[in-house]
Amino acid sequence: MTRMGDVLAGNNAEWEFEPEAVVIRYSRGVRGVRFLQALGERRIPHDALDGAELLDGRRGTAVLRLLPRPGADPVVEAAGGQLKENADPYRLVLPEQSRTLAEYYRDELRPLIGPQARDAAGDGPAERFLVAPPAAPRAFKAYDAKALFDGRTVTFRWFWTGASSAKWKAGDQSFPVEELSGLDWRSPELLHGHLRLLRRDADEQPGEADQDPAAVVFGLGYGPVHESLPFAAAVLAAIRSARVRP
């Protein structure tokens, strides 16, 4: 593999290659994507990757992309394929003149990642998250509530100006992660964006998000991706961790 500490700098991030991981630091410039900036720095173990590819980018650029292993990254799992291309945390956009260098790093990485680099027990989706989640505590404003997460409990505090009468009557809600089975994040950039918590003891299918006390609704300027998705990823990681906690 490349020497420890080798760094490949792109337009949107820089990647540092370690013996067993790739450390990604996202651009903090004024033209950077706010969601990636919110992620800051991430360490991606080789076991969390299924491959690497080099693609043609736009306007004379090349794109070096890592292929995340299913189940390994809480951000990817929470996003559910809804991120726009420029917000993909596994893309490094490079000027065309850096293509040869990108090919070199791709070829150096390939023998170290993917099913062929793991033993038989490590084949297939990861059984637990291998990439650290965004740190708690976290909070953001949805259209109908303020959502808070302290690392163990999710709290929704309703806004009287936005919450439905059903939510207002139910009162503010608190959900220990031990009582949750998962969550559903629908991007605020799509119609009916929301964050819904899935309860273990739910006996029936939840209704519309604006009527469900276990959900908060997004809207123009409310629940932006750079706030609500790291929040969702942190909660999802805590839910998974609670499953295996003794």
Side-chain angles (χ1 to χ4, degrees):
M1 179 52 188
T2 55
R3 297 181 304 276
M4 182 175 179
D6 277 4
V7 174
L8 182 60
N11 300 343
N12 61 330
E14 68 174 27
W15 291 4
E16 180 177 350
F17 298 91
E18 296 184 347
E20 297 181 352
V22 179
V23 178
I24 302 177
R25 302 179 184 92
Y26 301 101
S27 171
R28 305 198 66 82
V30 294
R31 300 182 65 181
V33 177
R34 293 189 73 183
F35 167 64
L36 298 181
Q37 292 176 342
L39 294 181
E41 177 177 315
R42 312 186 80 211
R43 185 177 186 274
I44 314 297
H46 290 167
D47 280 351
L49 298 170
D50 262 357
E53 60 186 5
L54 184 61
L55 308 170
D56 292 329
R58 301 177 182 177
R59 301 172 185 170
T61 61
V63 176
L64 182 58
R65 185 172 187 272
L66 301 175
L67 306 178
R69 180 182 178 186
D73 184 347
V75 170
V76 171
E77 295 301 305
Q82 299 174 74
L83 287 173
K84 292 182 177 179
E85 184 180 76
N86 69 343
D88 181 348
Y90 288 89
R91 294 173 77 252
L92 182 65
V93 181
L94 299 154
E96 181 61 32
Q97 56 265 35
S98 297
R99 178 178 291 271
T100 300
L101 189 59
E103 289 176 347
Y104 167 76
Y105 283 105
R106 178 202 61 189
D107 294 344
E108 287 283 295
L109 275 172
R110 279 180 168 173
L112 305 175
I113 59 180
Q116 77 284 349
R118 301 190 288 265
D119 58 34
D123 198 6
E127 296 181 355
R128 60 181 179 85
F129 289 136
L130 303 174
V131 180
R138 308 200 73 87
F140 72 91
K141 286 185 178 181
Y143 176 74
D144 55 0
K146 183 172 184 178
L148 305 101
F149 179 54
D150 63 5
R152 296 295 297 270
T153 302
V154 181
T155 302
F156 294 156
R157 296 177 181 167
W158 307 119
F159 299 143
W160 70 270
T161 53
S164 64
S165 58
K167 290 182 176 181
W168 196 249
K169 289 177 181 177
D172 292 348
Q173 301 288 300
S174 293
F175 305 90
V177 293
E178 291 84 0
E179 297 178 4
L180 301 173
S181 62
L183 56 80
D184 174 35
W185 178 82
R186 182 171 175 82
S187 173
E189 297 171 349
L190 302 174
L191 192 63
H192 305 307
H194 63 262
L195 172 64
R196 189 196 304 273
L197 304 177
L198 306 178
R199 291 175 283 194
R200 290 182 183 277
D201 60 355
D203 296 326
E204 56 187 36
Q205 287 292 104
E208 296 296 326
D210 65 343
Q211 301 296 315
D212 183 1
V216 293
V217 176
F218 303 151
L220 186 61
Y222 294 96
V225 172
H226 71 277
E227 294 180 356
S228 63
L229 182 52
F231 182 103
V235 173
L236 182 60
I239 293 171
R240 299 280 180 87
S241 178
R243 291 181 186 174
V244 299
R245 190 178 298 143

